[in-house]
Amino acid sequence: MTPAERERRTAELVALARAARGFMPDDEGQALMEAARRAGEAFEGPGSPGQPLFVEIGAWCGKSTVYLGAAAERTGAVLFSVDHHHGSEENQAGWVHHDPDLVDPADGRIDTMPHWRRTVASAGLEANVVGVVGDSATVAAAWRAPLAFCFIDGGHGEGPAWADYRGWSPHVAVGGWLAIHDVFPDPEEGGRPPYDLWCDALASGRFTEDGERGSLRVLRRTGPG
């Protein structure tokens, strides 16, 4: 693929990500994509040589998956997208982000998996994106490979957010990147757990700031755990 063809492909994927269901503003999505691309271009070691591994925690219907998948395709990385696909607390009935169109009539629960699969397939990203359906903490406990890039955007309640962070941040290799979404220093703008995770990462001495856009915070792992 020529440089011009790569740029056209990236632009196509960005357009598809914008059109996908989800809550991420496009400027934050593109910043996420660029951070993952930096990781893919700079990182060598996890998996087979020349094939960095990315993980996203929380996929919803695939918007962030396409932004990250664009970076994975561009750099030859593999993205593992981890989600139980039944929605977070704020997506359930009676909450502000509930979408009744996503409820499976067979059991009355949200099921975003078919929508996620359709989004990824429509984007032509199945060679670089692998869906992992299950509880994040359970998958993290069994995970063994070091990560070039990890994006945390799962449940924003106290328990789920800390479980995602404690389960996955240790898997980020030294030199790799960690991104956290919905970080709001002002509690009037959003919930506290993602902000608290970001503060903990900085206070740990393992991570340093490496950029931000809106509520997206990007860190790079510079110290051992």
Side-chain angles (χ1 to χ4, degrees):
M1 189 178 289
T2 67
E5 289 171 334
R6 284 198 297 270
E7 292 304 320
R8 284 196 294 271
R9 173 60 172 159
T10 298
E12 172 192 358
L13 291 172
V14 167
L16 290 169
R18 286 181 185 138
R21 284 190 183 193
F23 309 105
M24 177 172 285
D26 180 58
D27 61 336
E28 296 180 18
Q30 292 204 56
L32 177 69
M33 178 182 71
E34 290 303 321
R37 187 162 75 175
R38 289 201 309 274
E41 290 172 346
F43 202 89
E44 295 180 0
S48 58
Q51 189 175 59
L53 302 183
F54 300 167
V55 161
E56 74 164 338
I57 311 305
W60 195 236
C61 294
K63 181 182 282 287
S64 60
T65 311
V66 175
Y67 284 117
L68 289 169
E73 182 185 83
R74 180 84 172 242
T75 62
V78 176
L79 167 65
F80 292 86
S81 178
V82 181
D83 199 319
H84 50 57
H85 287 284
H86 292 307
S88 303
E89 183 181 50
E90 60 269 22
N91 305 129
Q92 305 309 313
W95 290 71
V96 65
H97 294 301
H98 180 63
D99 187 342
D101 290 344
L102 298 176
V103 174
D104 182 349
D107 63 7
R109 295 195 296 173
I110 287 175
D111 184 5
T112 56
M113 184 63 191
H115 304 273
W116 180 90
R117 291 189 65 177
R118 192 175 304 120
T119 298
V120 172
S122 297
L125 287 171
E126 291 172 307
N128 292 90
V129 176
V130 177
V132 180
V133 182
D135 173 67
S136 165
T138 302
V139 178
W143 191 268
R144 295 295 179 265
L147 299 174
F149 192 88
C150 178
F151 176 49
I152 295 179
D153 191 25
H156 291 352
E158 192 81 16
W162 280 103
D164 289 343
Y165 171 73
R166 288 172 176 147
W168 288 101
S169 63
H171 292 302
V172 178
V174 175
W177 277 261
L178 171 68
I180 303 173
H181 195 222
D182 290 326
V183 174
F184 296 105
D186 182 352
E188 296 296 320
E189 295 182 8
R192 303 311 288 159
Y195 174 75
D196 292 338
L197 306 188
W198 175 66
C199 290
D200 187 86
L202 292 174
S204 72
R206 293 180 298 146
F207 293 92
T208 57
E209 294 183 83
D210 194 46
E212 65 179 71
R213 181 69 58 83
S215 71
L216 178 72
R217 298 293 184 274
V218 179
L219 307 107
R220 190 167 190 186
R221 183 163 183 180
T222 53

